[in-house]
Amino acid sequence: MAGTWGRFNITAIVLGFAFLYLPIVLLIIYSFNESQLVTVWAGFSTKWYAAMLSNRGLMDAAWVTARVALLSASVATVLGTMAAVALTRYTRFRGRLLFSGMVFAPLVMPEVITGLSLLLLFVAVNFDRGFATVTIAHITFSMCFVAVVVQSRLLSFDQSLEEAALDLGATPVKAFFQVTLPVIFPAVIAGWMLAFTLSLDDLVIASFTSGPGATTLPMKIYSQVRLGVTPEINAVSTVLVGIVTIGVVIASLANKRRDVLKRRAEKLA
């Protein structure tokens, strides 16, 4: 019976991973296809990557996406870290429940609702849609993910270290930057990478908040896919998959390093 259940579990895992990742593997393989037909293999070639680099529309969209992702991830990391510190250190203050709900609402809010509400806000205040509105929208929905990651690290942080720094004459701000921040820095980096990859991948919210000259790469890919999938789109998607994979790996390594440092600190204590 145990052997049967073992084979069943292995089969289920294999089928699950195949369902999730086989389409991505096929997309990567066919991005090196010589033929223009994405379903017919005609030999290995990298010409579609060269075509991708010479496509002005795709490169402009990629540049917009990179700028939005870098700026929104950086601002979201600062705001998310501040929110996590406030929720962790100040457990009782008036409006804490409302503040917590507002910080974490984008986690459960459908992207369509978030995008539509932001669109109505920008229209109400007569704010022209473009690069700035897309960046603000990405900060809004990615900040909560940073707050979750950093808060989980702060909950296990030994506050006696910060209290010792305060007793030695450090100001609260100096104690935070010289004692607390170095300890939680791997979590901050993990939150930044998560916010960066979420910004790169966003289509729905950017569709609501973008304007002329602010077309992101997922929006460009989606508009071209509706006319038919080409190996050039496969090449662009492969590059995106590679960037997101690198980001996930870096975030995982940062979390692993955080766990190692935590175990070493526990042993020393």
Side-chain angles (χ1 to χ4, degrees):
M1 182 64 69
T4 303
W5 278 106
R7 288 193 295 271
F8 174 79
N9 290 336
I10 293 174
T11 302
I13 291 174
V14 170
L15 291 177
F17 276 105
F19 178 78
L20 290 173
Y21 297 109
L22 186 58
I24 299 177
V25 173
L26 291 176
L27 180 146
I28 295 173
I29 292 174
Y30 277 95
S31 69
F32 297 97
N33 188 11
E34 174 70 26
S35 173
Q36 191 170 0
L37 301 175
V38 295
T39 58
V40 179
W41 181 260
F44 181 86
S45 176
T46 58
K47 67 178 183 179
W48 300 113
Y49 288 89
M52 172 194 71
L53 294 175
S54 62
N55 189 318
R56 182 64 180 273
L58 285 176
M59 291 298 99
D60 288 343
W63 176 234
V64 171
T65 301
R67 288 188 295 154
V68 169
L70 289 170
L71 182 58
S72 64
S74 300
V75 177
T77 300
V78 174
L79 296 178
T81 302
M82 293 171 63
V85 171
L87 291 172
T88 304
R89 299 294 173 80
Y90 307 102
T91 56
R92 293 183 180 180
F93 61 87
R94 182 175 298 178
R96 185 184 188 280
L97 182 61
L98 177 62
F99 177 72
S100 177
M102 292 177 65
V103 170
F104 298 119
L107 283 172
V108 296
M109 192 78 67
E111 289 187 341
V112 173
I113 302 301
T114 302
L116 180 59
S117 61
L118 288 169
L119 171 62
L120 295 177
L121 173 64
F122 295 140
V123 171
V125 299
N126 196 24
F127 195 179
D128 293 335
R129 286 178 292 164
F131 177 83
T133 54
V134 176
T135 304
I136 293 172
H138 283 196
I139 293 171
T140 302
F141 82 85
S142 61
M143 182 185 71
C144 58
F145 293 91
V146 178
V148 169
V149 175
V150 177
Q151 186 181 17
S152 65
R153 179 65 186 92
L154 284 171
L155 289 173
S156 60
F157 176 74
D158 187 3
Q159 293 191 17
S160 62
L161 298 175
E162 195 171 281
E163 293 172 357
L166 295 175
D167 292 338
L168 292 174
T171 62
V173 174
K174 187 175 182 180
F176 175 79
F177 280 102
Q178 294 190 356
V179 178
T180 307
L181 186 59
V183 176
I184 67 171
F185 192 70
V188 174
I189 292 297
W192 187 92
M193 293 303 305
L194 181 58
F196 181 79
T197 54
L198 288 172
S199 178
L200 286 180
D201 186 57
D202 176 65
L203 170 63
V204 177
I205 295 177
S207 299
F208 280 96
T209 57
S210 66
T215 301
T216 62
L217 191 55
M219 293 173 59
K220 186 71 174 179
I221 292 174
Y222 179 72
S223 64
Q224 292 193 6
V225 165
R226 288 187 297 177
L227 303 176
V229 180
T230 64
E232 187 176 351
I233 296 299
N234 288 346
V236 176
S237 302
T238 300
V239 173
L240 274 179
V241 170
I243 294 174
V244 172
T245 301
I246 292 173
V248 171
V249 170
I250 293 176
S252 299
L253 292 176
N255 284 328
K256 185 176 180 180
R257 183 175 181 273
R258 180 193 65 187
D259 294 337
V260 171
L261 293 176
K262 181 181 177 180
R263 287 195 295 269
R264 288 180 180 176
E266 291 175 350
K267 290 180 179 179
L268 292 175

